[in-house]
Amino acid sequence: SADVPALDVNALDPTGAGDVFVAGFTAGTLAGWPLADRLAFANLTAALSVQHFGGSLSAPGWTEVAAWWQYVTRCGGQGEEVLRRYRFLEDLLPKGAGDSALRRATPTIGFRST
C-alpha cells in the first residue's frame, strides 16, 4: 500500500489525464519501480498533462519530466516533501535532459470568444 498526494498545478484541460496517469504507472511497473515511485510518476505525468490543451497532445515525454524536475530543484514552487518524494527522478533522467526549450504540437480545435 502507498499514499502519494497529487501535485498542485494550474489545470487547463483534464482531457486524457487518466490515460496519461495509467501510462505513467505502467511505465514504472514495467521498469520494476517501487509502488510509491510508480504512483508519484503517474501523478507527475498526469499533472504535467493537465497544464496543456488536448488529449494525446498534452501527454508529457521525458523532456517535460526532466524540465519539471530541473525547475522545481532550481526555482522551487514545490515543498520540501515533494522534492523528497520525487528525488528518485535524479537517477532516471539523463544529465542535461530538459535543458532545451519545450516544443509541443498545438491542438487544431477552434476557440470562440463569446
Side-chain angles (χ1 to χ4, degrees):
S1 154
D3 181 24
V4 178
L7 292 166
D8 186 20
V9 298
N10 293 322
L12 295 176
D13 182 1
T15 306
D19 293 336
V20 171
F21 180 92
V22 170
F25 188 83
T26 301
T29 299
L30 293 173
W33 301 345
L35 177 59
D37 290 352
R38 287 182 273 163
L39 287 171
F41 188 74
N43 279 343
L44 173 59
T45 56
L48 294 174
S49 170
V50 300
Q51 295 178 71
H52 298 276
F53 289 108
S56 63
L57 296 176
S58 69
W62 284 108
T63 301
E64 290 86 359
V65 171
W68 176 83
W69 180 243
Q70 281 188 2
Y71 181 81
V72 300
T73 55
R74 291 180 183 169
C75 303
Q78 298 289 335
E80 198 56 41
E81 181 180 323
V82 170
L83 292 176
R84 277 193 303 275
R85 171 66 258 151
Y86 287 89
R87 193 145 329 270
F88 74 95
L89 291 174
E90 287 181 353
D91 297 331
L92 298 174
L93 301 171
K95 301 300 178 219
D99 287 340
S100 61
L102 302 179
R103 297 179 55 140
R104 288 185 173 266
T106 304
T108 56
I109 57 175
F111 293 97
R112 293 185 182 162
S113 60
T114 54

